[in-house]
Amino acid sequence: MRVIVILVPSSSSIVTPPNPSRHNHHYTHLLKASKSRIPNLSPSNLPPPPWSSSRSPPLSTALRWDPTKTHPRSLADFANNLARDGKLVDFAMVVETVADSGVEASQFKSALRADFVEKGLSEFLRDGKVQSFVNVLNKLDEFGFPPLEIFTGSAMDLLRKECRGILKCREVDELVELVEVLAGFGFSIKELMKPSDVIKVCVQKRKPKMAIRYACTLPHAHMVFCDTIYEFGKKGDLESALTAFEFAKKNSNSINMYLYRTIIDICGRCHAYQKSRQIYEDLLSQKVTPNVYVVNSIMNVNAHDLSYTFNVYRNLQNLGVEPDMASYNILLKACCLAGRVDWAQDIYKEVQHLESSGLLKLDVFTYSTIVKVLADAKLWQMALKVKDDMLSAGVTPNTVTWSSLISACANAGLVEKAIQLFEEMLLDGCEPNSQCCNILLHACVEASQYDRAFRLFESWKRNRVQDMPEDDKENRASNASSGITTARSRSSQLYGLNFAKELSFMPTVATYNILMKACGSDYYHAKALMDEMNTMGLSPNQITWSILIDICGSSGNIEGALKILRTMREAGIEPDVVAYTTVIKVCVENKYMKQAFSLFAEMKRYQIQPNLVTYNTLLRARSRYGSSLEVKQCLVVYQDMRRAGYRSNDFYLKQLIEEWCEGVIQCDNQNQEEFSSSMTDTERPQSLLLEKVAEHLQKNIAESLTIDLQGLTKVEARIVVLAVLQVVKEKYSRGHIISDDMLITLGIGKVDTIPDELELGVKDAITKLLQDELGLEVLSKGLEIASNTQMYLESTNHSTSNSEYLGSNELPTERRPVVMQRLMVTRKSLRQWLYKRSSLRR
DNA sequence: TCCTGAGGTC
């Protein structure tokens, strides 16, 4: 079949439309250029053959010819000339025409000049016509002329430059699309660009999908998937890391364990523990058996949760996964974090047993971790015993092991022993790192041996090898070998070191922080150290500033402490919860409660979450409160604390409220011994009492005088009643009038059952308090209510248990009336009491 | 993996 084609560049499908923005185009849709858009022409309009000229003819006018009547070599010459002259669009059209004509193309193909085509393609790249470049590649590829055969060194260089240019402009989408096209032609993407550079830009621009698409073009895509997820995670961008993970999962045809390991590790890095568990459980629900690395990762990420970690471990058998040494080391780490010495010791014994059976080989991690567990538990002797174990097992302690051994002694307050171990480490040829030196310094500071800490620090600074001139170093070495060490030994003795080796000691921020702690209350010394830090090129961190605040505040300088907090923020270090807590502590210690509460409000404004220490610091401010306002303020903090999910420490607050409430009867009665002795009632949730007090302080008591004492002990009930009376008293002194009787609910019981002992105790104690101690008129009132009402009341609290209950056969027998036990204090006697109290005061 | 800062009735 004859095909006659009109070649009109301006209407062709492969012509690049002008575009002002170079890097703003999509190429992929051009991979399959439509041929149907090239119109056929009737044979009567055949043009003269255009290849008679040595120069390529202009194509501005329509050219028409019948390729079947032309020699393939002549066609090739024509095409070659077009390519050589940079008319590559036209060249491509000739190629396309030949392809479409049905003529024998092999001769034409063999006569094409790859060097000319390459030249033309290079020009496209030089001019930034990337889309045209891609279009031509498409055409050549369709024709069976793979672009890879055309490209030689120089064109590849240009292509590389072009890719780098796009990358430099951060046009990741465009680059990835081009790369995908090139990959389709078989180009080696790794040779065009450094994959890590592309991934970096994807991470910067938060384009996880582009990163994965790029990774798909590389031969080791799976590895690059993981690198990508890791890079996102390192930047703290968990969302993108997860997107990349999901996308990578879809683009993998098999389950890639390394991918799961990576995302689980990244979840750990980003503190998304629940997410890591979800991913792991998803894997299990697909009936996939994870490998030991995935299992170790999930355990490691969740090592702070001992029970979860152990559950995963216990499940290993069901899964048929064999734990390795790392699995056991992670279990030890979990015990270490949870402070479970007993469990750690059991595991240690078990792995030792496994080792003796030849199933495992304990490594330096195992020993270091168990040493740390023992060190934290102040079991220094056992820690030293582990050192012997490891030496006899032929495992050499590393810096971390030595550090843990030293901190074992340091934690037990044994500075001498710690220093002795430090020397032993040097003799053993183990180079201490900064952290290790810091542990030793910290040991001195903890034992209040401040001078010793400073002397050690100075000696290490002097011994720094890299600070010495070369010949000085040589002198030292030759002195050491010839035994001329007198001067040095003397100075070493002075610093408590019998062996002073040149240390590659480099102080860190932590070093200076420890030394600042050693300044006690000497603010100027601490400040000088902070300045020295700066000259050493170290930046003070949040800890540094907090220490400075503490030192300044310790001399009662509240203004100074507050000022440092501001300076800290100005210096670009955002104060954290500890910095705020430190300033709050300073205020509380100096009884500046208003300032303390104001700082508390300020930190909340900055969205810094107070923690248990902050709350306890504030609530510890149990100075005598004169009014319900201050107690209220305290209770607000208390309730805030409970809302934040902290188990409240009610001791101080309970005492505070007690003192405040007892103020009601202070002048009337001194007989309170019985109550204070029974205060330590830890059986019941103490918070209930405080909730009741808070509730009564916060609602408008003048409206309805009702007190609910259900579930409280008699001491707690006493406090609640007194708290309400205290509020009533304060309101009365401000002019409020009592218009109602006071109703006190004691409990709900069935009509013909005897109230329990506790309830009777409360009733007696409260009646005694109101009648005998305060002289109020008290009436006992039983209010009968239907049993289904009681069930309704119960169901509001225990919906699930109630439904179970409803389903049982016992239901009909329970339909008995119940009684609400109440006490009533008459309005008249309350008024008399208030009047008597106020006249007493006058 | 190891170091440094704030709180403390039992």
Side-chain angles (χ1 to χ4, degrees):
Chain A
M1 189 196 129
R2 234 180 243 182
V3 182
I4 292 109
V5 175
I6 184 163
L7 295 170
V8 183
S10 58
S11 67
S12 165
S13 64
I14 53 173
V15 170
T16 314
N19 80 78
S21 158
R22 256 189 70 189
H23 298 130
N24 201 19
H25 276 265
H26 298 262
Y27 311 116
T28 34
H29 67 285
L30 293 164
L31 268 171
K32 287 199 173 106
S34 161
K35 284 171 189 168
S36 60
R37 279 159 63 189
I38 302 170
N40 285 345
L41 203 73
S42 81
S44 59
N45 295 330
L46 273 175
W51 50 88
S52 47
S53 155
S54 62
R55 284 189 54 80
S56 57
L59 284 179
S60 52
T61 56
L63 289 172
R64 286 161 256 173
W65 81 98
D66 181 357
T68 56
K69 287 182 180 164
T70 312
H71 193 274
R73 287 203 62 88
S74 309
L75 271 171
D77 284 343
F78 173 51
N80 285 334
N81 289 342
L82 286 168
R84 185 201 58 207
D85 295 346
K87 294 177 180 166
L88 219 50
V89 175
D90 300 338
F91 162 84
M93 279 188 286
V94 173
V95 171
E96 187 178 28
T97 309
V98 172
D100 289 346
S101 68
V103 298
E104 175 56 52
S106 61
Q107 270 190 305
F108 172 77
K109 222 162 81 182
S110 64
L112 281 180
R113 291 277 300 268
D115 53 340
F116 287 179
V117 181
E118 189 198 341
K119 187 169 167 279
L121 286 169
S122 301
E123 267 168 39
F124 271 158
L125 290 174
R126 247 195 301 276
D127 300 344
K129 293 179 182 165
V130 182
Q131 196 176 1
S132 305
F133 170 80
V134 171
N135 293 343
V136 173
L137 292 192
N138 277 332
K139 288 292 153 204
L140 288 168
D141 197 54
E142 279 169 33
F143 185 59
F145 203 52
L148 212 52
E149 285 176 15
I150 303 161
F151 267 70
T152 56
S154 63
M156 277 302 274
D157 280 346
L158 279 164
L159 191 55
R160 243 178 244 128
K161 213 173 133 191
E162 181 61 30
C163 289
R164 275 202 300 269
I166 301 173
L167 193 61
K168 220 173 172 179
C169 300
R170 300 277 187 268
E171 297 288 356
V172 179
D173 299 46
E174 190 190 359
L175 179 72
V176 169
E177 287 181 14
L178 174 62
V179 158
E180 280 174 337
V181 173
L182 292 172
F185 294 137
F187 279 84
S188 170
I189 303 303
K190 266 174 97 173
E191 277 172 32
L192 285 173
M193 275 164 300
K194 250 174 85 182
S196 59
D197 289 345
V198 182
I199 299 297
K200 245 180 245 164
V201 176
C202 288
V203 170
Q204 275 168 13
K205 299 217 78 176
R206 299 188 60 151
K207 301 229 169 176
K209 288 196 179 185
M210 283 301 152
I212 297 301
R213 271 173 62 180
Y214 173 76
C216 287
T217 65
L218 296 164
H220 303 294
H222 289 347
M223 302 297 283
V224 187
F225 288 163
C226 298
D227 290 349
T228 305
I229 291 168
Y230 199 75
E231 289 299 321
F232 276 114
K234 248 178 27 190
K235 281 266 184 295
D237 187 355
L238 182 65
E239 200 190 322
S240 297
L242 287 167
T243 310
F245 167 70
E246 293 298 334
F247 204 59
K249 220 165 57 173
K250 269 188 216 128
N251 280 282
S252 307
N253 32 24
S254 61
I255 300 251
N256 177 359
M257 288 299 165
Y258 192 42
L259 191 64
Y260 276 90
R261 254 210 80 163
T262 311
I263 192 67
I264 288 170
D265 288 344
I266 285 305
C267 284
R269 261 189 98 115
C270 299
H271 308 108
Y273 309 115
Q274 290 308 321
K275 188 71 205 175
S276 74
R277 295 177 191 194
Q278 192 194 319
I279 289 167
Y280 180 66
E281 268 133 43
D282 277 353
L283 188 65
L284 295 188
S285 69
Q286 292 171 51
K287 300 265 173 277
V288 175
T289 305
N291 65 17
V292 72
Y293 299 105
V294 171
V295 172
N296 286 344
S297 279
I298 193 70
M299 292 203 298
N300 190 39
V301 159
N302 290 284
H304 60 279
D305 185 341
L306 193 61
S307 67
Y308 183 86
T309 309
F310 265 85
N311 274 333
V312 173
Y313 169 71
R314 278 190 216 103
N315 201 29
L316 285 189
Q317 266 189 331
N318 301 337
L319 293 169
V321 178
E322 199 63 45
D324 62 7
M325 198 61 243
S327 316
Y328 289 105
N329 289 343
I330 292 162
L331 286 180
L332 277 174
K333 176 183 160 182
C335 293
C336 183
L337 289 168
R340 290 301 298 257
V341 196
D342 47 347
W343 287 28
Q345 281 172 310
D346 288 347
I347 295 167
Y348 183 54
K349 275 182 208 132
E350 195 186 320
V351 290
Q352 277 183 319
H353 179 256
L354 287 170
E355 185 174 46
S356 66
S357 330
L359 293 167
L360 278 177
K361 181 86 187 82
L362 272 65
D363 61 17
V364 70
F365 282 75
T366 322
Y367 291 110
S368 299
T369 313
I370 191 78
V371 166
K372 171 131 177 52
V373 172
L374 297 166
D376 290 349
K378 298 191 196 301
L379 298 168
W380 63 277
Q381 281 142 318
M382 294 177 85
L384 290 176
K385 166 81 176 56
V386 172
K387 194 189 88 175
D388 296 337
D389 287 352
M390 80 185 287
L391 289 176
S392 51
V395 179
T396 312
N398 65 16
T399 317
V400 177
T401 327
W402 282 111
S403 299
S404 294
L405 284 166
I406 291 166
S407 69
C409 297
N411 288 343
L414 305 165
V415 185
E416 295 305 327
K417 192 89 193 152
I419 288 180
Q420 191 190 319
L421 275 167
F422 187 78
E423 290 171 21
E424 213 179 300
M425 169 177 72
L426 298 176
L427 279 168
D428 201 47
C430 183
E431 275 271 309
N433 57 15
S434 297
Q435 283 103 320
C436 186
C437 294
N438 291 346
I439 290 170
L440 200 60
L441 287 178
H442 191 226
C444 297
V445 174
E446 284 292 286
S448 306
Q449 299 191 15
Y450 302 143
D451 278 359
R452 195 174 211 172
F454 284 115
R455 285 202 305 266
L456 276 172
F457 177 65
E458 290 303 325
S459 73
W460 290 336
K461 269 209 296 198
R462 267 199 299 279
N463 280 328
R464 275 186 58 197
V465 179
Q466 58 262 55
D467 281 356
M468 280 181 241
E470 269 318 299
D471 53 356
D472 198 63
K473 262 191 241 177
E474 277 167 22
N475 283 344
R476 275 173 168 255
S478 63
N479 282 352
S481 56
S482 59
I484 314 167
T485 53
T486 4
R488 274 176 61 215
S489 324
R490 207 185 316 122
S491 73
S492 312
Q493 296 271 326
L494 188 67
Y495 305 129
L497 282 174
N498 297 321
F499 181 87
K501 193 189 163 191
E502 285 86 354
L503 303 179
S504 54
F505 175 66
M506 191 53 108
T508 63
V509 176
T511 316
Y512 278 98
N513 291 347
I514 295 164
L515 289 171
M516 278 171 71
K517 277 291 275 185
C519 293
S521 58
D522 187 347
Y523 172 77
Y524 293 101
H525 192 182
K527 188 75 184 62
L529 279 168
M530 203 158 144
D531 293 339
E532 189 180 318
M533 255 175 112
N534 284 315
T535 60
M536 297 284 288
L538 295 168
S539 303
N541 62 12
Q542 289 170 320
I543 299 176
T544 321
W545 286 99
S546 294
I547 295 169
L548 197 68
I549 290 170
D550 193 42
I551 291 173
C552 182
S554 68
S555 52
N557 186 356
I558 302 161
E559 285 307 316
L562 285 166
K563 199 169 160 236
I564 297 168
L565 188 75
R566 314 278 172 245
T567 316
M568 175 179 181
R569 182 168 274 123
E570 281 160 25
I573 306 293
E574 208 48 34
D576 63 355
V577 61
V578 181
Y580 268 101
T581 306
T582 312
V583 194
I584 289 172
K585 179 197 75 170
V586 173
C587 294
V588 166
E589 278 173 351
N590 291 281
K591 306 225 189 313
Y592 270 57
M593 284 314 295
K594 209 177 153 196
Q595 184 64 261
F597 281 116
S598 141
L599 281 163
F600 182 74
E602 183 183 302
M603 69 186 285
K604 294 211 121 194
R605 272 204 304 282
Y606 278 106
Q607 310 219 310
I608 301 159
Q609 272 311 109
N611 63 20
L612 192 60
V613 183
T614 321
Y615 287 114
N616 284 343
T617 307
L618 256 182
L619 295 176
R620 194 172 59 112
R622 190 177 55 86
S623 54
R624 296 254 163 194
Y625 285 80
S627 71
S628 62
L629 181 78
E630 284 161 318
V631 178
K632 253 188 204 173
Q633 213 165 10
C634 227
L635 283 168
V636 168
V637 173
Y638 162 80
Q639 284 188 316
D640 187 70
M641 175 179 185
R642 305 229 324 140
R643 265 197 300 274
Y646 288 106
R647 276 186 61 116
S648 55
N649 178 349
D650 299 333
F651 182 84
Y652 281 128
L653 210 55
K654 208 167 158 181
Q655 263 195 347
L656 159 72
I657 293 165
E658 192 188 4
E659 280 174 17
W660 175 70
C661 296
E662 298 286 348
V664 173
I665 51 169
Q666 228 168 26
C667 27
D668 306 350
N669 197 325
Q670 297 299 316
N671 183 24
Q672 290 153 29
E673 292 308 308
E674 156 193 10
F675 293 102
S676 34
S677 63
S678 55
M679 278 302 284
T680 48
D681 185 0
T682 49
E683 295 291 301
R684 337 163 36 71
Q686 297 197 347
S687 52
L688 190 57
L689 160 74
L690 295 165
E691 290 293 353
K692 291 261 186 250
V693 177
E695 191 187 305
H696 283 294
L697 282 173
Q698 272 160 22
K699 81 179 179 195
N700 192 350
I701 292 188
E703 278 171 18
S704 74
L705 276 175
T706 57
I707 310 173
D708 185 358
L709 299 180
Q710 289 184 77
L712 299 182
T713 64
K714 54 182 182 177
V715 182
E716 290 167 347
R718 179 190 171 90
I719 291 175
V720 171
V721 171
L722 287 171
V724 173
L725 287 173
Q726 180 75 32
V727 173
V728 169
K729 193 187 84 183
E730 284 175 19
K731 278 183 171 281
Y732 177 78
S733 65
R734 290 200 300 271
H736 287 261
I737 296 160
I738 304 295
S739 53
D740 265 319
D741 300 325
M742 178 185 273
L743 279 170
I744 302 168
T745 305
L746 297 165
I748 296 166
K750 288 173 197 79
V751 123
D752 43 1
T753 56
I754 309 150
D756 62 33
E757 224 174 293
L758 186 79
E759 215 169 275
L760 280 174
V762 172
K763 189 179 176 181
D764 285 350
I766 296 305
T767 310
K768 225 176 116 198
L769 165 72
L770 296 168
Q771 276 179 350
D772 305 350
E773 293 186 43
L774 301 169
L776 291 159
E777 187 186 0
V778 183
L779 304 171
S780 180
K781 292 225 157 192
L783 180 68
E784 206 171 288
I785 47 175
S787 61
N788 54 352
T789 314
Q790 181 210 354
M791 277 166 58
Y792 169 73
L793 289 171
E794 280 180 354
S795 75
T796 53
N797 287 330
H798 319 283
S799 57
T800 48
S801 62
N802 192 49
S803 61
E804 281 164 23
Y805 173 68
L806 283 172
S808 78
N809 297 327
E810 291 171 58
L811 183 64
T813 60
E814 288 294 317
R815 287 195 181 276
R816 272 185 288 176
V818 291
V819 164
M820 190 192 272
Q821 290 289 338
R822 297 196 299 186
L823 292 175
M824 192 180 93
V825 182
T826 61
R827 167 178 55 167
K828 196 176 135 207
S829 71
L830 274 171
R831 282 182 182 165
Q832 281 171 352
W833 174 72
L834 288 165
Y835 176 74
K836 208 168 75 194
R837 286 190 58 87
S838 57
S839 55
L840 262 175
R841 197 166 287 174
R842 275 187 236 116

